Amino acid sequence: MKYCVSQELKDEQGKIFKLAKGFRGRAKNCIRIARERVEKALQYSYRDRRIKKRDMRSLWIARINAGTRVHEVNYGNVMHGLMKENVQLNRKVLSEL
């Protein structure tokens, strides 16, 4: 008995397997498990794009704070002083100085 699988279904499965490339075990070659793993992976990537921005900002703040502590000033006073003097440098640029 032959199964008739439409081309649309094959295309959809192909997309799932393409996204599941590199997964371990049956998550890369069993459509049911691969679909679940791909959906979860896409959820993680959506969430982590936002978390990466938070992590980078906290890293910049830590670097600025470490640099200002050498000169016996804390981060808050530096940022307040820059804001008062209307200095238009963001934290990313400040952390690289």
Side-chain angles (χ1 to χ4, degrees), residues 74-87:
N74 66 5
Y75 171 78
N77 290 339
V78 168
M79 294 310 287
H80 179 70
L82 290 174
M83 187 183 70
K84 244 166 84 171
E85 294 297 319
N86 200 22
V87 176

Side-chain angles (χ1 to χ4, degrees), residues 5 12 17 19 21 34 61 64 69 80 82:
V5 180
E12 181 190 339
F17 286 137
L19 289 170
K21 193 169 187 162
I61 289 172
I64 295 168
R69 295 274 174 164
H80 179 70
L82 290 174

